[in-house]
Amino acid sequence: MVKIGTLDVWPPVVLAPMAGITNIAFRTLCREQGGGLFVCEMITSRALVERNPLTFEMIRFGPHERPRSLQLYGVDPAIIGKAARMIAEEDLADHIDLNFGCPVPKVTRRGGGSALPYKRRLLRAILREAVTNAGGLPVTMKMRKGIDDDHLTYLDAGRIAAEEGIAAIALHARTAKQHYGGAADWDAIKRLKDAVPDIPVLGNGDIWTADDALRMVAHTGCDGVVVGRGCLGRPWLFRDLENAFNGSPDRARPTLGDVTRTLLRHAELLCEVIGSERYGVADFRKHIGWYLKGFVVGAETRRVLALSTSLAELEDHLAELDPAQPWPGEAADGPRGKSGERQKVLLPHGWLDDPDELAIPSPDAEDPTSGG
């Protein structure tokens, strides 16, 4: 059991927020498989405070979703504080996670995301405002190792977080420069845990299977794991994770027929969430390749599936596949989603000159791009 503020979490697993992915539909599928914390899509603090209608749509939770976890991103301590107070007073969520991991250039070049922890006083001010205004809700944070190997921030940031009352820290063990490329540095997770032994540390990066999660915990001593890209097209990974942490060797090995049934149900749920079959099926297209990864499905079939315009059409095309085709093993268990390293991290002019400067980035840094 990992204790995150007032929350007792078992298995010690967190679904990472992913833009356009971790809506009610996907969270529902994952929750049905296993336990943990399931975080909604990231929202910006400014949009929440300004009561942006789209933002309120993104933080909708189903009636059976408990606890409700919300990831908040912002760069201005005062706005973060107002947002945290709103969440607490209006009962919008049971847990607030703060994002300091986004490596997207349009965010870092304005001083946001994974660039922000370099400014230690600004980071401290944001964390203090969030914790002070959260009304007792647990506040956690997610971050990266730093900007690049020459500007690592995670140990200082972890100590500041512990001092300011953050309930848990998740570390994506890559730098912003690495983006999603290369290998995650699990040794960094161990160093962070050693630096802040009194609060939970959650490891993130290169967890593609439940056994990867067990290896990470054994290697680093971390208290739990955060899963992002590894569950794309594989909501049953949460069943595997629950089994793994409970000591069971059972792992899901769905046939293609099992996968297509889950795929179709995901599409149906998404249509319900969006409120339109046409737009729901269109939005679902990005998931098809993830679900079918590793299976023998021709390029033309994949193309036709991706061009489906209705649930009936999608179901008809899926019916043409061989339902008995077995789980392809490592071909489906490996990396998925975006990857690749950046040549450099874009930053505001003079950003690296003084790490103790209390420089609040412009509102433009609050871009609604999730990631970490």
Side-chain angles (χ1 to χ4, degrees):
M1 186 76 68
V2 59
K3 191 168 185 63
I4 299 177
T6 56
L7 304 177
D8 293 325
V9 181
W10 186 262
V13 174
V14 178
L15 167 65
M18 292 177 280
I21 305 292
T22 54
N23 47 42
I24 295 175
F26 189 66
R27 296 197 308 269
T28 296
L29 287 175
C30 294
R31 281 179 180 273
E32 289 174 351
Q33 301 294 323
L37 281 179
F38 298 86
V39 188
C40 73
E41 298 173 80
M42 185 201 77
I43 62 168
T44 70
S45 58
R46 195 173 301 272
L48 182 65
V49 168
E50 294 174 354
R51 296 187 176 276
N52 180 287
L54 177 59
T55 294
F56 273 80
E57 279 294 306
M58 293 170 67
I59 60 172
R60 279 194 302 144
F61 292 93
H64 304 297
E65 288 197 82
R66 287 291 188 277
R68 301 161 300 164
S69 294
L70 182 157
Q71 191 180 72
L72 194 61
Y73 166 63
V75 297
D76 187 320
I79 302 297
I80 285 278
K82 289 179 182 178
R85 182 175 294 137
M86 272 184 66
I87 293 167
E89 292 181 350
E90 299 181 24
D91 190 28
L92 299 178
D94 306 305
H95 159 231
I96 301 171
D97 185 48
L98 299 175
N99 183 314
F100 299 102
C102 184
V104 175
K106 62 183 175 181
V107 172
T108 60
R109 71 184 176 89
R110 294 183 174 95
S114 49
L116 193 146
Y118 187 78
K119 298 295 189 182
R120 293 176 293 201
R121 289 180 61 201
L122 175 59
L123 176 67
R124 185 182 294 277
I126 288 175
L127 299 182
R128 182 171 296 177
E129 285 293 321
V131 172
T132 300
N133 287 282
L137 296 180
V139 179
T140 60
M141 67 179 283
K142 185 182 181 189
M143 61 181 178
R144 284 182 172 241
K145 287 173 57 182
I147 293 172
D148 54 33
D149 286 339
D150 294 324
H151 302 91
L152 298 176
T153 57
Y154 69 104
L155 293 178
D156 281 343
R159 295 185 185 103
I160 291 169
E163 291 165 3
E164 295 299 331
I166 291 297
I169 304 170
L171 177 64
H172 183 162
R174 288 181 170 89
T175 63
K177 184 176 184 294
Q178 280 184 278
H179 203 65
Y180 294 94
D185 177 13
W186 289 4
D187 288 339
I189 300 170
K190 183 179 188 306
R191 287 190 288 270
L192 178 62
K193 182 59 190 175
D194 291 342
V196 290
D198 296 330
I199 63 173
V201 169
L202 308 175
N204 177 222
D206 293 351
I207 295 177
W208 309 113
T209 68
D211 295 298
D212 290 335
L214 295 183
R215 282 192 290 271
M216 175 185 279
V217 171
H219 182 85
T220 69
C222 66
D223 302 278
V225 299
V226 178
V227 178
R229 294 176 297 153
C231 67
L232 295 176
R234 295 194 311 168
W236 51 83
L237 177 58
F238 289 91
R239 187 194 328 163
D240 287 354
L241 286 161
E242 181 157 316
N243 285 338
F245 280 107
N246 283 328
S248 168
D250 291 343
R251 303 290 183 266
R253 291 293 182 267
T255 64
L256 183 53
D258 296 327
V259 170
T260 56
R261 281 189 289 274
T262 302
L263 182 159
L264 187 60
R265 180 154 183 271
H266 188 172
E268 292 169 346
L269 287 170
L270 192 54
C271 290
E272 291 177 15
V273 169
I274 292 176
S276 162
E277 181 171 334
R278 176 187 172 191
Y279 290 113
V281 171
D283 189 71
F284 183 74
R285 290 171 182 168
K286 59 179 172 282
H287 295 272
I288 292 173
W290 296 326
Y291 274 106
L292 299 180
K293 180 179 171 63
F295 285 100
V296 179
V297 178
E300 178 60 19
T301 302
R302 291 173 184 266
R303 187 188 72 82
V304 169
L305 283 166
L307 292 177
S308 298
T309 58
S310 69
L311 289 170
E313 186 179 352
L314 182 62
E315 187 172 10
D316 286 344
H317 292 315
L318 290 172
E320 297 173 5
L321 302 178
D322 175 12
Q325 189 177 149
W327 179 251
E330 291 184 6
D333 283 336
R336 56 197 55 226
K338 53 190 174 182
S339 60
E341 186 166 322
R342 303 290 183 181
Q343 288 188 336
K344 66 176 183 178
V345 180
L346 299 181
L347 299 168
H349 178 72
W351 187 254
L352 299 177
D353 292 349
D354 182 3
D356 290 315
E357 177 189 17
L358 185 57
I360 299 176
S362 73
D364 291 342
E366 292 202 13
D367 186 278
T369 302
S370 183

